[in-house]
Structure formats: structure tokens, C-alpha cells
Amino acid sequence: MTATRVALVALLIAVATRDAVSQATPRGATDAGAAGALGSGARYIPPPGRRPARFPVAWPFPAGRAPVVARRAMVVSDAPLASQAGVEVLRHGGNAVDAAVATAFALAVVYPEAGNIGGGGYMVIHLASGRNVAIDYREVAPLAATRDMYVGPDGKVTEASVVGPLASGVPGAVAGLTEALARHGALPLAEVMKPAIRLAEEGFVVDSALARRFGDYRDLLQKFGGGAVFVPNGEPLGPGARLTQPALARTLRTIATRGRAGFYEGPIAESWTRELAALGGIITLEDLRRYRAVWRQPIRATYRGHTLLTMPPSSSGGVTMIETLNILEGFRPLPPFGSTRWAHLLGSAFQRAFVDRNAKLGDPAFVNVPLKELTDKRYAASLRATIRAERATPTPAAPLREGTQTTHVSVADSKGNAVAMTTTINELFGSGIYLPSAGFFLNDEMDDFTSRPGVPNMFGLVQGEANAIQPGKRMLSAMSPTIVLDARGRVLLVAGSRGGPRIITSTTGVLLNVIDYRMTLADALSAPRLHHQALPDTLRIEENGVSAAVQDSLRAMGYGTSSGSIGQVNALMRVPGGFEGVADPRGSGRPVGY
Ligand code: DON
């Protein structure tokens, strides 16, 4: 080791120690909003090989932000208390899988807008042994679901796939989390669920971010049973209020004792399916009995000497990301970050990958997915050849509809294991249906299916036949939990996002920022993002994300442009001496490490 490197490692260790202390929040209290920081007075020195980034003047997130640094292990999630739950389990001898599961159950308590037991998700797992696995616990359509169940008598797509009792797929979260733990965890389920049960039973202090959500979603919460818990006496819980969830605590205790059967069978399943049926819902005990999480081989691909491990279908995330990166790999180097050509090449690559995504992908148990072809570098070369130097290419056909609430967790432990996990109930508070006896929200994931193939849906978007509704089928997802290994096969980066189709573009963007633009992790997440999903045929760029001159040039090239948020990434990266963790400055998450 060189002298500089020794000094750097020493600095990182010192920082890690201070940070571990600065992250200790009293039990049950949250302090959202204070994303990664070094603590007062410390100056962040980027790891070797990382270059300072520069963003447009009006861009709200400054470059040079400090990450949270930890020597041994790191958990990054959208809720500080949930990240702490993961670290608590790691400190008790758990591995990255234990920590991911603990964090997921804790998110179901402290982050009800997206954390869940009433939804589903995916985990990509890199084991210290070198083995890589993935688990798919995406929801499935209920047995009573029909292809046109969201088409009204007037032929128009209704709102029932988004809000209310018919919007939910059969939840997969509990099956997936318990199965992942049983196979790859080190601790018993009851131990791993302790923090979540404690948070539900003893309560926790609502922070300003959560309070704002309760306020914004007051009507939905009151409409379908969540009012008594989250909007008591007609007033949304405010910052500083203590939220206890006895019904959820009971459900979690039952799961901790009985495993998946505690949720999918017995009194809890009977009572919540009865409540749902009374509202007009169609998920039955038979649906629950049949539900299975599925182990899958992660997609393994290379990008500029790195190995990527990411989620195969039923998520479209991995395929679309790899197809995009394969197209971009042929441009060496990529144009300067933030330039017109940067926006043109990234936008064009995403556009092409999304054309395939929208038409060809679906649940592999129901449709034949051309996975090999779509992730083949020669195929990408043929798409690359269709990008014109100075002009936008109009999109030929069929897009997807967008959802808005999901949450991603990145975990790495001291033994070399890592987990990228994304979970969702789709939109904020899912379908809005809160089941009082069991204390959780049901998802509105049915909206990720094609409500009507070939016809624009209520958002003016169209999806393909491959993703049409069929009983027992998984609806296509965009979730993109991803692990990047360095040239020596060690975990370099763990990342993923929320944001519907923008999950794919925001996660890919962060990878490009780290690999091509050599940004620090914090800059990679702070950097302006762009998104193209084929249709609508517009290049979406975050507001003030590029200069006015670049905007003008893009319009002159034939791009329609729009602005708006693009994803919310939580990521960690290996650095000399440990890990950096960064929660997206667009959200209120927080990394915790030790
Ligand atoms: O699985 C999907 O692709 C969507 N249900 C994800 C929705 C989402 O990310 C909303 N989050 N902000």
C-alpha cells in the first residue's frame, strides 16, 4: 500500500467511526431529511480515481456532497429507522440477507407509503462464495382476474386498476422475504423481525416527510379504512406524533412465529380476505395458498470490464438496462456529462431499449421472452447503428403506464455478501385499501398490466399483448435491483430506485455516472437525470438539469422535451477502507453503517 493510500484508509476509518456514532438515533425517533453527511467540520476526500462533478448553475443538488462512510457494512433505505433495523441485525451476527429482510419488514411499519407486506418485489443477492441468486416475489393476478376487467362498458379503461378493492395483485412480499431468509439468511426469522415488531408495537415518531404524505393522501387514507390509524379524528398525524400499529404488530408477530403460513393461511388470512371481499375485492384464500416466490438466475452481463447482476423478467428492469448499456458501450468515451450529445445518446439508447421492453416482455411463465437476443451485444450494435448523429428518431410504437411509489434498499455486509432489493405497492399507499384486522395496505399492482392491449390507457399510454392480464400471471415490472462487481469480482456498487419506468433510467444513469464519468457516489446520485421510454416520444429531463443551450439544441434536433422527477436511488459503493452509502437527495432516506 502506498503512503497516500494508507493515509486515505486511515481517514475513512476515522470518518466511519464518527459516522456510526452520528447515525445513532434514539429508538423510535426519526430524523429524515438529513441524508448522508460526515458530521461537523469533516472535509470529504473523494476516493482515488473519482473526479469532481460539475452541474448546471440552477441545479438544486450541489456536487461534492459527502456520503455516509462505514468500515464494515452498510444499509441504505428510504427510512432512517428501517436502515437502523438492518444494521441492528447485522450487529447481531446477521448477514446482508438478514439485514435486507429486517429492513423490508421495518419499512412496512415506518414507511407505509411504499414499504409493505401487501405488495411484492425482487432481490438480487451476491453471496460471498461468489454465487449469485435472485428471488422474484412479484404479485400475481388473482384467479378471478380477467383480461378486460378494467375496461368499462363504454370501452374505456376505468380507474379500478389503480384505486380500490379490485386494484390488487396477490401479495408476494411475505413469501419472498421468508423464503430468501430461510435459504440464505444466518438468523432465525423471529430474530430478524424483532426491530419491525418493536417499531409497530411501541411506535415511532412520525417525521416531517411521513407527516407530509399523510396530509397529501388524507382523502385516500380516509376512504378505505386507514383513517383511524393515520388520520385519527380527521387530522393527519403530524411531525412528532407517535404512531403505534397494534394490528400490524400482531400480524408481524404471527409471521415471525409461523413463517409464510402466518400470512397466507389461518386466522389472519381469513380475516383480511373477508374484509377485502366485503369491499368487493377478489383475492381469495385459494389465491394465497397458491402464491409462490420464484428463484431466478440473475441476468449477468458485462459493461466496460464490470460485471452486472440484475433482475430478469418478470421485471423488465434488468433487460432494459443491459440493452441500453450495450448500446452505449460502443460509444467510447461517452460525450461530456450534461452535453447535448450526452442527452441524445442516452435518450436514444433508452428509447430503443424501451421499444423492446414495451412490446416483448412479460411474465416468463406465460410468454416467451427473447432474453438472450435482447441482451446480446451484437443485437445492441444493430440498434446503435440506427442512432443518427444529429437527429432524434421518432418512436414507432407502444409504451407503458407509470406508477409512482416504490422503495429500494441496498445492503453490503462485512463478509462480502450484498443484496439489492426493490419492493413496491405501486402508487403511494397502494390501492388505498387498508385492512384494519391485519394492519396493512394492499397494492395497486394490477395497473402494471396492460389494461387493454394496443389501446391508449387513461394516461394515454399503450402496453403490449405480452403483458395482458391472465389469472396467476405476474404483471411486468420496471424494478431494477442491481449489483456491480469490479474486475476482481468484488462488490463495487449496489443500486436501485423507485419511479415506475424511470426506475430503469435512474438506476442506469447512476451506473454510467460511476463507471463512465468516474463521479463519487454522492455526485452520481445528485447528478441531473434524463429519461426516455419510447412513448410518449419525449426526452424527459429533470428541471434545470441541463443548460438552456442544451435544451435548445435538443429541440433543434427534433426532440420533444418535458421535465419532472426521475427516480429516487439508494446506493452503496465499495471504497478503500469500507463502503460509502448515499440516499437520494430527492427523498428522505438515510444510509446507516458501522
Ligand atoms: O413494478 C413497477 O415497475 C412499478 N409498480 C413500480 C412503481 C414505482 O416505482 C412507483 N414508485 N415511485
Side-chain angles (χ1 to χ4, degrees):
M1 231 193 241
T2 64
T4 341
R5 193 143 165 171
V6 170
L8 192 86
V9 170
L11 173 97
L12 283 167
I13 290 172
V15 162
T17 317
R18 177 179 30 235
D19 227 50
V21 174
S22 78
Q23 294 303 325
T25 308
R27 176 196 279 196
T30 69
D31 177 21
L38 284 182
S40 58
R43 201 167 72 81
Y44 171 62
I45 302 182
R50 300 279 140 203
R51 299 185 201 130
R54 291 185 59 187
F55 305 141
V57 274
W59 181 243
F61 308 118
R65 206 166 56 105
V68 165
V69 187
R71 197 173 356 166
R72 297 192 182 87
M74 183 71 77
V75 180
V76 193
S77 84
D78 275 325
L81 287 170
S83 301
Q84 279 175 17
V87 166
E88 180 179 326
V89 159
L90 285 168
R91 284 185 184 276
H92 284 101
N95 63 22
V97 176
D98 296 300
V101 173
T103 305
F105 278 118
L107 283 166
V109 181
V110 301
Y111 198 63
E113 66 181 66
N116 67 82
I117 54 174
Y122 303 97
M123 261 189 236
V124 173
I125 304 172
H126 170 75
L127 297 165
S129 64
R131 224 181 120 207
N132 303 304
V133 293
I135 184 162
D136 173 340
Y137 49 101
R138 180 72 162 165
E139 301 92 324
V140 298
L143 294 167
T146 58
R147 179 190 165 90
D148 294 329
M149 63 189 280
Y150 303 117
V151 181
D154 56 359
K156 293 204 177 114
V157 171
T158 69
E159 275 221 332
S161 67
V162 184
V163 179
L166 287 173
S168 309
V170 182
V174 174
L177 296 175
T178 53
E179 171 78 20
L181 191 85
R183 206 171 283 187
H184 295 293
L187 299 177
L189 182 62
E191 182 75 22
V192 166
M193 290 186 68
K194 261 188 193 156
I197 294 171
R198 191 176 64 227
L199 288 161
E201 222 153 51
E202 296 177 11
F204 65 98
V205 177
V206 171
D207 63 25
S208 51
L210 188 54
R212 201 168 44 245
R213 295 295 197 213
F214 292 151
D216 291 349
Y217 281 75
R218 166 198 204 131
D219 291 350
L220 184 72
L221 292 170
Q222 287 183 302
K223 193 165 175 188
F224 295 116
V229 180
F230 306 103
V231 194
N233 309 314
E235 271 313 305
L237 289 174
R242 180 163 281 270
L243 171 57
T244 48
Q245 299 172 79
L248 179 57
R250 207 164 41 241
T251 302
L252 293 174
R253 269 198 188 288
T254 311
I255 296 168
T257 314
R258 297 192 55 213
R260 71 160 271 152
F263 183 82
Y264 290 89
E265 301 165 24
I268 286 181
E270 283 159 20
S271 73
W272 76 255
T273 47
R274 211 170 27 243
E275 281 167 356
L276 181 64
L279 295 169
I282 56 172
I283 297 175
T284 61
L285 287 171
E286 180 60 11
D287 281 307
L288 299 185
R289 197 184 64 74
R290 287 194 190 198
Y291 185 84
R292 288 288 173 275
V294 180
W295 286 100
R296 301 193 189 277
Q297 206 42 50
I299 296 180
R300 190 188 171 99
T302 60
Y303 180 70
R304 301 203 203 280
H306 295 77
T307 299
L308 270 61
L309 307 166
T310 184
M311 199 63 215
S314 61
S315 182
S316 66
V319 179
T320 314
M321 176 186 293
I322 300 306
E323 194 173 327
T324 304
L325 290 173
N326 282 345
I327 294 171
L328 291 175
E329 202 173 27
F331 299 103
R332 194 184 180 94
L334 286 182
F337 184 84
S339 64
T340 303
R341 219 171 124 67
W342 163 83
H344 173 51
L345 293 188
L346 265 64
S348 300
F350 283 133
Q351 177 193 29
R352 282 153 179 77
F354 266 89
V355 165
D356 284 335
R357 185 261 181 222
N358 296 340
K360 296 178 184 166
L361 300 186
D363 181 348
F366 286 76
V367 293
N368 200 359
V369 176
L371 193 62
K372 262 205 154 61
E373 180 202 333
L374 296 180
T375 56
D376 186 299
K377 290 196 192 281
R378 279 164 309 190
Y379 174 62
S382 70
L383 293 177
R384 191 183 311 125
T386 67
I387 300 177
R388 292 179 291 171
E390 305 294 340
R391 283 304 295 169
T393 318
T395 296
L400 68 160
R401 72 177 37 177
E402 307 177 15
T404 47
Q405 290 316 324
T406 299
T407 185
H408 176 80
V409 179
S410 293
V411 186
D413 67 19
S414 58
K415 303 170 194 82
N417 305 295
V419 177
M421 170 177 69
T422 316
T423 179
T424 188
I425 42 176
N426 204 13
E427 295 199 90
L428 236 106
F429 304 105
S431 61
I433 298 278
Y434 177 82
L435 301 158
S437 70
F440 69 92
F441 286 99
L442 269 176
N443 66 82
D444 62 340
E445 225 70 68
M446 291 297 283
D447 194 55
D448 279 347
F449 275 122
T450 310
S451 288
R452 192 150 182 216
V455 173
N457 64 20
M458 65 177 162
F459 299 116
L461 302 171
V462 186
Q463 294 191 97
E465 182 66 42
N467 190 31
I469 301 173
Q470 286 177 262
K473 184 176 178 183
R474 285 164 152 79
M475 57 294 285
L476 188 63
S477 172
M479 290 187 274
S480 313
T482 300
I483 298 175
V484 180
L485 306 180
D486 63 18
R488 291 165 56 189
R490 295 180 319 169
V491 172
L492 171 69
L493 186 70
V494 183
S497 179
R498 67 157 55 173
R502 300 185 291 267
I503 289 174
I504 299 170
T505 39
S506 53
T507 308
T508 309
V510 165
L511 262 55
L512 292 169
N513 292 346
V514 167
I515 295 174
D516 288 83
Y517 294 104
R518 309 296 303 164
M519 290 184 198
T520 65
L521 187 63
D523 285 354
L525 267 67
S526 293
R529 296 180 183 146
L530 62 75
H531 171 81
H532 202 309
Q533 61 177 45
L535 287 174
D537 191 354
T538 55
L539 187 56
R540 181 182 180 116
I541 301 176
E542 287 181 307
E543 199 171 342
N544 295 321
V546 292
S547 66
V550 169
Q551 284 274 9
D552 288 349
S553 306
L554 289 168
R555 285 198 199 103
M557 291 171 75
Y559 280 103
T561 57
S562 64
S563 66
S565 66
I566 302 177
Q568 188 171 299
V569 176
N570 289 323
L572 63 86
M573 183 162 80
R574 177 188 298 281
V575 292
F579 296 104
E580 291 185 352
V582 179
D584 201 309
R586 296 156 186 80
S588 54
R590 161 114 53 89
V592 179
Y594 75 104

PDB file of all heavy atoms in Angstrom, residues 291-315:
ATOM      1  N   TYR A 291     -49.859 -18.930  -3.905  1.00  0.00           N
ATOM      2  CA  TYR A 291     -48.780 -17.984  -4.207  1.00  0.00           C
ATOM      3  C   TYR A 291     -47.397 -18.560  -3.880  1.00  0.00           C
ATOM      4  O   TYR A 291     -47.176 -19.102  -2.805  1.00  0.00           O
ATOM      5  CB  TYR A 291     -48.945 -16.642  -3.468  1.00  0.00           C
ATOM      6  CG  TYR A 291     -47.842 -15.708  -3.947  1.00  0.00           C
ATOM      7  CD1 TYR A 291     -48.006 -14.972  -5.109  1.00  0.00           C
ATOM      8  CD2 TYR A 291     -46.594 -15.687  -3.325  1.00  0.00           C
ATOM      9  CE1 TYR A 291     -46.971 -14.214  -5.627  1.00  0.00           C
ATOM     10  CE2 TYR A 291     -45.548 -14.929  -3.832  1.00  0.00           C
ATOM     11  CZ  TYR A 291     -45.744 -14.203  -4.985  1.00  0.00           C
ATOM     12  OH  TYR A 291     -44.706 -13.468  -5.517  1.00  0.00           O
ATOM     13  N   ARG A 292     -46.483 -18.429  -4.776  1.00  0.00           N
ATOM     14  CA  ARG A 292     -45.093 -18.864  -4.545  1.00  0.00           C
ATOM     15  C   ARG A 292     -44.123 -17.804  -5.039  1.00  0.00           C
ATOM     16  O   ARG A 292     -44.292 -17.258  -6.135  1.00  0.00           O
ATOM     17  CB  ARG A 292     -44.773 -20.145  -5.346  1.00  0.00           C
ATOM     18  CG  ARG A 292     -45.430 -21.405  -4.826  1.00  0.00           C
ATOM     19  CD  ARG A 292     -44.803 -21.907  -3.507  1.00  0.00           C
ATOM     20  NE  ARG A 292     -45.555 -23.022  -2.965  1.00  0.00           N
ATOM     21  CZ  ARG A 292     -46.648 -22.944  -2.194  1.00  0.00           C
ATOM     22  NH1 ARG A 292     -47.106 -21.761  -1.848  1.00  0.00           N
ATOM     23  NH2 ARG A 292     -47.275 -24.004  -1.766  1.00  0.00           N
ATOM     24  N   ALA A 293     -43.102 -17.525  -4.233  1.00  0.00           N
ATOM     25  CA  ALA A 293     -41.978 -16.730  -4.732  1.00  0.00           C
ATOM     26  C   ALA A 293     -41.159 -17.635  -5.653  1.00  0.00           C
ATOM     27  O   ALA A 293     -41.175 -18.855  -5.496  1.00  0.00           O
ATOM     28  CB  ALA A 293     -41.125 -16.251  -3.569  1.00  0.00           C
ATOM     29  N   VAL A 294     -40.461 -17.041  -6.614  1.00  0.00           N
ATOM     30  CA  VAL A 294     -39.706 -17.853  -7.587  1.00  0.00           C
ATOM     31  C   VAL A 294     -38.218 -17.475  -7.552  1.00  0.00           C
ATOM     32  O   VAL A 294     -37.869 -16.296  -7.660  1.00  0.00           O
ATOM     33  CB  VAL A 294     -40.244 -17.614  -9.032  1.00  0.00           C
ATOM     34  CG1 VAL A 294     -39.466 -18.437 -10.041  1.00  0.00           C
ATOM     35  CG2 VAL A 294     -41.721 -17.937  -9.112  1.00  0.00           C
ATOM     36  N   TRP A 295     -37.352 -18.485  -7.402  1.00  0.00           N
ATOM     37  CA  TRP A 295     -35.903 -18.237  -7.500  1.00  0.00           C
ATOM     38  C   TRP A 295     -35.527 -18.130  -8.967  1.00  0.00           C
ATOM     39  O   TRP A 295     -35.980 -18.930  -9.775  1.00  0.00           O
ATOM     40  CB  TRP A 295     -35.113 -19.374  -6.837  1.00  0.00           C
ATOM     41  CG  TRP A 295     -35.191 -19.292  -5.351  1.00  0.00           C
ATOM     42  CD1 TRP A 295     -36.004 -20.032  -4.531  1.00  0.00           C
ATOM     43  CD2 TRP A 295     -34.461 -18.400  -4.497  1.00  0.00           C
ATOM     44  NE1 TRP A 295     -35.826 -19.639  -3.223  1.00  0.00           N
ATOM     45  CE2 TRP A 295     -34.880 -18.653  -3.170  1.00  0.00           C
ATOM     46  CE3 TRP A 295     -33.509 -17.407  -4.711  1.00  0.00           C
ATOM     47  CZ2 TRP A 295     -34.374 -17.950  -2.077  1.00  0.00           C
ATOM     48  CZ3 TRP A 295     -33.000 -16.705  -3.620  1.00  0.00           C
ATOM     49  CH2 TRP A 295     -33.437 -16.983  -2.327  1.00  0.00           C
ATOM     50  N   ARG A 296     -34.716 -17.150  -9.288  1.00  0.00           N
ATOM     51  CA  ARG A 296     -34.295 -16.986 -10.679  1.00  0.00           C
ATOM     52  C   ARG A 296     -32.793 -16.756 -10.734  1.00  0.00           C
ATOM     53  O   ARG A 296     -32.186 -16.315  -9.766  1.00  0.00           O
ATOM     54  CB  ARG A 296     -35.001 -15.784 -11.322  1.00  0.00           C
ATOM     55  CG  ARG A 296     -36.512 -15.885 -11.306  1.00  0.00           C
ATOM     56  CD  ARG A 296     -37.129 -14.855 -12.226  1.00  0.00           C
ATOM     57  NE  ARG A 296     -38.579 -14.777 -12.067  1.00  0.00           N
ATOM     58  CZ  ARG A 296     -39.449 -15.585 -12.644  1.00  0.00           C
ATOM     59  NH1 ARG A 296     -39.034 -16.554 -13.423  1.00  0.00           N
ATOM     60  NH2 ARG A 296     -40.752 -15.440 -12.466  1.00  0.00           N
ATOM     61  N   GLN A 297     -32.261 -17.016 -11.891  1.00  0.00           N
ATOM     62  CA  GLN A 297     -30.858 -16.713 -12.159  1.00  0.00           C
ATOM     63  C   GLN A 297     -30.772 -15.231 -12.501  1.00  0.00           C
ATOM     64  O   GLN A 297     -31.467 -14.793 -13.419  1.00  0.00           O
ATOM     65  CB  GLN A 297     -30.433 -17.588 -13.355  1.00  0.00           C
ATOM     66  CG  GLN A 297     -28.980 -17.931 -13.461  1.00  0.00           C
ATOM     67  CD  GLN A 297     -28.344 -18.304 -12.124  1.00  0.00           C
ATOM     68  OE1 GLN A 297     -28.855 -19.125 -11.386  1.00  0.00           O
ATOM     69  NE2 GLN A 297     -27.233 -17.653 -11.819  1.00  0.00           N
ATOM     70  N   PRO A 298     -29.987 -14.441 -11.784  1.00  0.00           N
ATOM     71  CA  PRO A 298     -29.899 -13.025 -12.186  1.00  0.00           C
ATOM     72  C   PRO A 298     -29.363 -12.909 -13.602  1.00  0.00           C
ATOM     73  O   PRO A 298     -28.613 -13.778 -14.057  1.00  0.00           O
ATOM     74  CB  PRO A 298     -28.887 -12.421 -11.204  1.00  0.00           C
ATOM     75  CG  PRO A 298     -28.643 -13.424 -10.150  1.00  0.00           C
ATOM     76  CD  PRO A 298     -29.089 -14.763 -10.664  1.00  0.00           C
ATOM     77  N   ILE A 299     -29.709 -11.829 -14.294  1.00  0.00           N
ATOM     78  CA  ILE A 299     -29.052 -11.546 -15.573  1.00  0.00           C
ATOM     79  C   ILE A 299     -27.621 -11.160 -15.234  1.00  0.00           C
ATOM     80  O   ILE A 299     -27.381 -10.333 -14.352  1.00  0.00           O
ATOM     81  CB  ILE A 299     -29.732 -10.375 -16.297  1.00  0.00           C
ATOM     82  CG1 ILE A 299     -31.164 -10.746 -16.663  1.00  0.00           C
ATOM     83  CG2 ILE A 299     -28.934  -9.979 -17.541  1.00  0.00           C
ATOM     84  CD1 ILE A 299     -31.912  -9.636 -17.386  1.00  0.00           C
ATOM     85  N   ARG A 300     -26.681 -11.789 -15.914  1.00  0.00           N
ATOM     86  CA  ARG A 300     -25.272 -11.468 -15.703  1.00  0.00           C
ATOM     87  C   ARG A 300     -24.753 -10.888 -17.003  1.00  0.00           C
ATOM     88  O   ARG A 300     -24.844 -11.521 -18.053  1.00  0.00           O
ATOM     89  CB  ARG A 300     -24.528 -12.767 -15.344  1.00  0.00           C
ATOM     90  CG  ARG A 300     -23.129 -12.551 -14.862  1.00  0.00           C
ATOM     91  CD  ARG A 300     -22.416 -13.902 -14.713  1.00  0.00           C
ATOM     92  NE  ARG A 300     -21.030 -13.643 -14.454  1.00  0.00           N
ATOM     93  CZ  ARG A 300     -20.481 -13.659 -13.243  1.00  0.00           C
ATOM     94  NH1 ARG A 300     -21.187 -13.994 -12.194  1.00  0.00           N
ATOM     95  NH2 ARG A 300     -19.209 -13.367 -13.086  1.00  0.00           N
ATOM     96  N   ALA A 301     -24.245  -9.670 -16.946  1.00  0.00           N
ATOM     97  CA  ALA A 301     -23.780  -9.015 -18.166  1.00  0.00           C
ATOM     98  C   ALA A 301     -22.508  -8.250 -17.853  1.00  0.00           C
ATOM     99  O   ALA A 301     -22.168  -8.060 -16.687  1.00  0.00           O
ATOM    100  CB  ALA A 301     -24.858  -8.061 -18.667  1.00  0.00           C
ATOM    101  N   THR A 302     -21.832  -7.811 -18.908  1.00  0.00           N
ATOM    102  CA  THR A 302     -20.629  -7.009 -18.663  1.00  0.00           C
ATOM    103  C   THR A 302     -20.819  -5.620 -19.242  1.00  0.00           C
ATOM    104  O   THR A 302     -21.532  -5.431 -20.229  1.00  0.00           O
ATOM    105  CB  THR A 302     -19.384  -7.638 -19.325  1.00  0.00           C
ATOM    106  OG1 THR A 302     -19.623  -7.704 -20.741  1.00  0.00           O
ATOM    107  CG2 THR A 302     -19.094  -9.010 -18.780  1.00  0.00           C
ATOM    108  N   TYR A 303     -20.190  -4.666 -18.606  1.00  0.00           N
ATOM    109  CA  TYR A 303     -20.169  -3.304 -19.131  1.00  0.00           C
ATOM    110  C   TYR A 303     -18.822  -2.688 -18.790  1.00  0.00           C
ATOM    111  O   TYR A 303     -18.479  -2.521 -17.626  1.00  0.00           O
ATOM    112  CB  TYR A 303     -21.305  -2.462 -18.535  1.00  0.00           C
ATOM    113  CG  TYR A 303     -21.299  -1.037 -19.055  1.00  0.00           C
ATOM    114  CD1 TYR A 303     -21.630  -0.761 -20.380  1.00  0.00           C
ATOM    115  CD2 TYR A 303     -20.934   0.015 -18.229  1.00  0.00           C
ATOM    116  CE1 TYR A 303     -21.603   0.542 -20.871  1.00  0.00           C
ATOM    117  CE2 TYR A 303     -20.912   1.329 -18.714  1.00  0.00           C
ATOM    118  CZ  TYR A 303     -21.238   1.576 -20.031  1.00  0.00           C
ATOM    119  OH  TYR A 303     -21.209   2.860 -20.536  1.00  0.00           O
ATOM    120  N   ARG A 304     -18.044  -2.421 -19.806  1.00  0.00           N
ATOM    121  CA  ARG A 304     -16.716  -1.818 -19.663  1.00  0.00           C
ATOM    122  C   ARG A 304     -15.899  -2.478 -18.538  1.00  0.00           C
ATOM    123  O   ARG A 304     -15.397  -1.808 -17.625  1.00  0.00           O
ATOM    124  CB  ARG A 304     -16.836  -0.315 -19.397  1.00  0.00           C
ATOM    125  CG  ARG A 304     -17.577   0.438 -20.502  1.00  0.00           C
ATOM    126  CD  ARG A 304     -17.214   1.903 -20.508  1.00  0.00           C
ATOM    127  NE  ARG A 304     -18.224   2.745 -21.127  1.00  0.00           N
ATOM    128  CZ  ARG A 304     -18.383   2.919 -22.448  1.00  0.00           C
ATOM    129  NH1 ARG A 304     -17.619   2.295 -23.296  1.00  0.00           N
ATOM    130  NH2 ARG A 304     -19.322   3.721 -22.924  1.00  0.00           N
ATOM    131  N   GLY A 305     -15.835  -3.783 -18.582  1.00  0.00           N
ATOM    132  CA  GLY A 305     -14.971  -4.513 -17.656  1.00  0.00           C
ATOM    133  C   GLY A 305     -15.606  -4.802 -16.303  1.00  0.00           C
ATOM    134  O   GLY A 305     -15.007  -5.451 -15.457  1.00  0.00           O
ATOM    135  N   HIS A 306     -16.816  -4.321 -16.087  1.00  0.00           N
ATOM    136  CA  HIS A 306     -17.522  -4.617 -14.841  1.00  0.00           C
ATOM    137  C   HIS A 306     -18.542  -5.714 -15.103  1.00  0.00           C
ATOM    138  O   HIS A 306     -19.049  -5.849 -16.217  1.00  0.00           O
ATOM    139  CB  HIS A 306     -18.247  -3.381 -14.322  1.00  0.00           C
ATOM    140  CG  HIS A 306     -17.325  -2.273 -13.929  1.00  0.00           C
ATOM    141  ND1 HIS A 306     -16.716  -1.454 -14.860  1.00  0.00           N
ATOM    142  CD2 HIS A 306     -16.905  -1.851 -12.726  1.00  0.00           C
ATOM    143  CE1 HIS A 306     -15.955  -0.577 -14.238  1.00  0.00           C
ATOM    144  NE2 HIS A 306     -16.048  -0.799 -12.933  1.00  0.00           N
ATOM    145  N   THR A 307     -18.863  -6.464 -14.057  1.00  0.00           N
ATOM    146  CA  THR A 307     -19.918  -7.468 -14.181  1.00  0.00           C
ATOM    147  C   THR A 307     -21.174  -6.933 -13.524  1.00  0.00           C
ATOM    148  O   THR A 307     -21.124  -6.449 -12.380  1.00  0.00           O
ATOM    149  CB  THR A 307     -19.488  -8.774 -13.480  1.00  0.00           C
ATOM    150  OG1 THR A 307     -18.304  -9.236 -14.131  1.00  0.00           O
ATOM    151  CG2 THR A 307     -20.568  -9.832 -13.564  1.00  0.00           C
ATOM    152  N   LEU A 308     -22.282  -7.015 -14.231  1.00  0.00           N
ATOM    153  CA  LEU A 308     -23.553  -6.542 -13.685  1.00  0.00           C
ATOM    154  C   LEU A 308     -24.446  -7.725 -13.372  1.00  0.00           C
ATOM    155  O   LEU A 308     -24.584  -8.628 -14.201  1.00  0.00           O
ATOM    156  CB  LEU A 308     -24.271  -5.659 -14.713  1.00  0.00           C
ATOM    157  CG  LEU A 308     -23.969  -4.176 -14.667  1.00  0.00           C
ATOM    158  CD1 LEU A 308     -22.510  -3.894 -14.914  1.00  0.00           C
ATOM    159  CD2 LEU A 308     -24.830  -3.441 -15.667  1.00  0.00           C
ATOM    160  N   LEU A 309     -25.057  -7.701 -12.202  1.00  0.00           N
ATOM    161  CA  LEU A 309     -26.029  -8.726 -11.824  1.00  0.00           C
ATOM    162  C   LEU A 309     -27.339  -8.001 -11.614  1.00  0.00           C
ATOM    163  O   LEU A 309     -27.423  -7.103 -10.776  1.00  0.00           O
ATOM    164  CB  LEU A 309     -25.612  -9.398 -10.519  1.00  0.00           C
ATOM    165  CG  LEU A 309     -24.183  -9.936 -10.512  1.00  0.00           C
ATOM    166  CD1 LEU A 309     -23.750 -10.274  -9.092  1.00  0.00           C
ATOM    167  CD2 LEU A 309     -24.099 -11.177 -11.404  1.00  0.00           C
ATOM    168  N   THR A 310     -28.355  -8.389 -12.377  1.00  0.00           N
ATOM    169  CA  THR A 310     -29.593  -7.630 -12.266  1.00  0.00           C
ATOM    170  C   THR A 310     -30.804  -8.517 -12.509  1.00  0.00           C
ATOM    171  O   THR A 310     -30.655  -9.712 -12.791  1.00  0.00           O
ATOM    172  CB  THR A 310     -29.536  -6.378 -13.179  1.00  0.00           C
ATOM    173  OG1 THR A 310     -30.711  -5.601 -12.988  1.00  0.00           O
ATOM    174  CG2 THR A 310     -29.393  -6.736 -14.639  1.00  0.00           C
ATOM    175  N   MET A 311     -31.990  -7.937 -12.363  1.00  0.00           N
ATOM    176  CA  MET A 311     -33.203  -8.756 -12.269  1.00  0.00           C
ATOM    177  C   MET A 311     -33.763  -9.121 -13.637  1.00  0.00           C
ATOM    178  O   MET A 311     -34.004  -8.246 -14.470  1.00  0.00           O
ATOM    179  CB  MET A 311     -34.252  -7.957 -11.467  1.00  0.00           C
ATOM    180  CG  MET A 311     -35.355  -8.810 -10.897  1.00  0.00           C
ATOM    181  SD  MET A 311     -34.790 -10.027  -9.679  1.00  0.00           S
ATOM    182  CE  MET A 311     -35.909 -11.380 -10.027  1.00  0.00           C
ATOM    183  N   PRO A 312     -33.975 -10.409 -13.871  1.00  0.00           N
ATOM    184  CA  PRO A 312     -34.616 -10.847 -15.124  1.00  0.00           C
ATOM    185  C   PRO A 312     -36.133 -10.707 -15.022  1.00  0.00           C
ATOM    186  O   PRO A 312     -36.657 -10.404 -13.948  1.00  0.00           O
ATOM    187  CB  PRO A 312     -34.224 -12.319 -15.192  1.00  0.00           C
ATOM    188  CG  PRO A 312     -34.146 -12.751 -13.769  1.00  0.00           C
ATOM    189  CD  PRO A 312     -33.661 -11.543 -12.994  1.00  0.00           C
ATOM    190  N   PRO A 313     -36.889 -10.953 -16.101  1.00  0.00           N
ATOM    191  CA  PRO A 313     -38.349 -10.960 -16.009  1.00  0.00           C
ATOM    192  C   PRO A 313     -38.798 -11.969 -14.948  1.00  0.00           C
ATOM    193  O   PRO A 313     -38.109 -12.974 -14.752  1.00  0.00           O
ATOM    194  CB  PRO A 313     -38.778 -11.408 -17.411  1.00  0.00           C
ATOM    195  CG  PRO A 313     -37.640 -10.952 -18.298  1.00  0.00           C
ATOM    196  CD  PRO A 313     -36.413 -11.147 -17.451  1.00  0.00           C
ATOM    197  N   SER A 314     -39.841 -11.643 -14.175  1.00  0.00           N
ATOM    198  CA  SER A 314     -40.926 -10.748 -14.518  1.00  0.00           C
ATOM    199  C   SER A 314     -40.635  -9.260 -14.404  1.00  0.00           C
ATOM    200  O   SER A 314     -41.542  -8.439 -14.629  1.00  0.00           O
ATOM    201  CB  SER A 314     -42.135 -11.052 -13.625  1.00  0.00           C
ATOM    202  OG  SER A 314     -41.799 -10.846 -12.250  1.00  0.00           O
ATOM    203  N   SER A 315     -39.427  -8.862 -14.048  1.00  0.00           N
ATOM    204  CA  SER A 315     -39.134  -7.443 -14.161  1.00  0.00           C
ATOM    205  C   SER A 315     -38.514  -7.165 -15.523  1.00  0.00           C
ATOM    206  O   SER A 315     -37.730  -7.968 -16.037  1.00  0.00           O
ATOM    207  CB  SER A 315     -38.177  -6.962 -13.089  1.00  0.00           C
ATOM    208  OG  SER A 315     -37.988  -5.564 -13.263  1.00  0.00           O
TER     209      SER A 315
END
